[in-house]
Amino acid sequence: DGMNVLFIVVDDLRPVLGCYGDKIVKSPNIDQLASQSVVFSNAYAQQALCAPSRVSFLTGRRPDTTRLYDFYSYWRVHAGNYSTMPQYFKENGYVTLSVGKVFHPGVSSNYSDDYPYSWSIPPFHPSTEKYENHKTCRGKDGKLYANLVCPVDVTEMPKGTLPDIQSTEEAIRLLSVMKTNKQKFFLAVGYHKPHIPLRYPQEFLKLYPLENITLAPDPWVPEKLPSVAYNPWTDIRQREDVEALNVSFPYGPLPDDFQRQIRQSYYAAVSYLDVQVGLLLNALDNVGLSNNTIVVFTADHGWSLGEHGEWAKYSNFDVATRVPLMFYVPGVTTSSVSQGVRVFPYLDPFNHIGGSVPQGQSKKVVELVSLFPTLAELAGLQVPPACPKTSFHVALCTEGTSIAHYFNASEEKVQEEGEGCGDTDRCFNEEPVALSQYPRPADTPQWNSDKPKLKDIRIMGYSMRTSDYRYTLWVQFNPNNFSANFEDVHAGELYVMETDPNQDYNIYNNTSHGWFFKKILG
């Protein structure tokens, strides 16, 4: 009666994975999951910052409705008493469990990860999480530092472990408990890496010899990038190894060899994450639940690795907003799995050769805000209704739309041929778009440009991604009444994906963009 749900969300993971065509990264376990899943290659977060993105996809509402653009308010108090995805599953008879970083901890989830509304038992946080920003990185001089690039000997770490290892162990323990108790569950597992600091077991460096690591394809600040769009990566500047480089503010750049080291460590952290995912999925096999558990794998947003001369998240570019998104649904994305057959044997990234390809790939543009209705539909629950235009008073509704109908790829082709769109405008208007946004305190980069507090926000960058374009407007914003004034445009960006996939050549000033403007207002 109904499927279980295993919901895996990763912090700051852009789609540098074998199953997304990355040639360098070794991610055999996530690739194996992809080979049994529908993989969305155009999935986008609603804001490239942890707390706003997570509250958005967990409630199914956009940041303008949760009114969370920073870390400092709880939506149930500050915006409206919105039901969350895990709460909805809990109210429909599921045991809901949270392990690691699912909600962003702190005031934005009421210092409780929204327990008891969202979860059946208090959420689990690894005991070693508190050492994340301590001096645990051994420098060349043998001393300990709080670095950005931080390969470690796990045996030397506090308690001899790392947070994500602890989260995997707890999630595996809970799977056994659920199996024994024969309880239908919604288990959310939130992994920290590759969030900074890039702290991971040092053996993963072996997978990525430095001489194989290139710079970003566009490591310079684009000539026509409006200054309001630039994020000055303040957070990484505060790490001791970056601080020692004494890089100028706001544009840098970082020295090439250090850029390579960051990229190398990001990839190594992704392979470390892949091992955790592999162990978790292997445990799902071990308890015999792979044949009746939906698995979702995604991230809260991406992370720039030197593109546009930028690092970290905090922007509206694809590198910051695009995320991996895949759904494994037994009997739907794969033929039904018979009891006892191994779907997810653990693969060792140090020995595994060859990549697996996605079971089905959808290029449709989709948004994380659609996770809630999609998972409800896949689990056979009633899909929450679409929100009215203003929904602060509505407890259960969604501003996303279920994307479950995209799962049957062959169907998609037939429809497209059948429709034969003579009316370009109509076709254009029906095309799905992804909306993201990012707040700024000023028109030029300053110390708080990456993470302005609500009271300091003066400009909001609203960004629309279609399959062919990214269009962004930076408009005047009033934080006192949460209003954006589209008549006061501070800057604009328009990128044509076909000729400019990396979004380096802003053609906003030499193009008419009335259609985009209408659509973004709509």
Side-chain angles (χ1 to χ4, degrees), residues 287-363:
V287 292
L289 291 173
S290 305
N291 63 335
N292 64 344
T293 302
I294 294 165
V295 182
V296 189
F297 178 88
T298 191
D300 54 358
H301 44 70
W303 210 79
S304 305
L305 285 166
E307 296 84 2
H308 317 112
E310 292 179 306
W311 300 88
K313 45 241 184 187
Y314 319 123
S315 84
N316 280 320
F317 282 120
D318 277 19
V319 281
T321 54
R322 185 169 166 246
V323 293
L325 177 62
M326 60 189 81
F327 296 85
Y328 161 78
V329 189
V332 176
T333 62
T334 59
S335 47
S336 53
V337 182
S338 42
Q339 192 76 37
V341 172
R342 298 202 76 80
V343 186
F344 305 118
Y346 173 74
L347 302 173
D348 178 352
F350 293 92
N351 296 325
H352 185 73
I353 296 147
S356 20
V357 292
Q359 171 66 24
Q361 194 149 16
S362 175
K363 290 194 171 67

Side-chain angles (χ1 to χ4, degrees), residues 427-465:
C427 269
F428 224 29
N429 285 334
E430 283 172 8
E431 186 195 359
V433 302
L435 297 172
S436 303
Q437 60 193 99
Y438 212 87
R440 294 280 186 240
D443 286 298
T444 50
Q446 53 187 50
W447 66 275
N448 63 341
S449 289
D450 291 350
K451 295 187 274 197
K453 289 186 169 168
L454 175 64
K455 65 177 174 48
D456 297 322
I457 297 171
R458 295 291 174 272
I459 301 157
M460 188 68 75
Y462 287 95
S463 194
M464 181 173 77
R465 179 69 155 78

Side-chain angles (χ1 to χ4, degrees), residues 7 57-58 60 85 89 296 298-299 325 327 367-377 398 400-401 403:
F7 180 78
F57 69 68
L58 288 163
M85 170 165 60
F89 275 83
V296 189
T298 191
L325 177 62
F327 296 85
E367 307 175 285
L368 288 186
V369 75
S370 295
L371 275 170
F372 185 171
T374 305
L375 269 176
E377 181 172 344
T398 174
T401 44
I403 58 174

Side-chain angles (χ1 to χ4, degrees), residues 14 216-223 225 229-233 250-253 259 263 303-313 315-320 470 493 495 500-506:
R14 60 191 261 170
D218 51 349
W220 56 83
V221 180
E223 193 187 326
L225 181 69
Y230 185 80
N231 76 281
W233 34 281
Y251 294 112
Q259 293 197 33
R263 289 169 69 92
W303 210 79
S304 305
L305 285 166
E307 296 84 2
H308 317 112
E310 292 179 306
W311 300 88
K313 45 241 184 187
S315 84
N316 280 320
F317 282 120
D318 277 19
V319 281
R470 179 171 285 287
E493 298 169 79
Y495 304 100
D500 181 21
N502 297 329
Q503 303 170 355
D504 293 317
Y505 303 99
N506 178 12

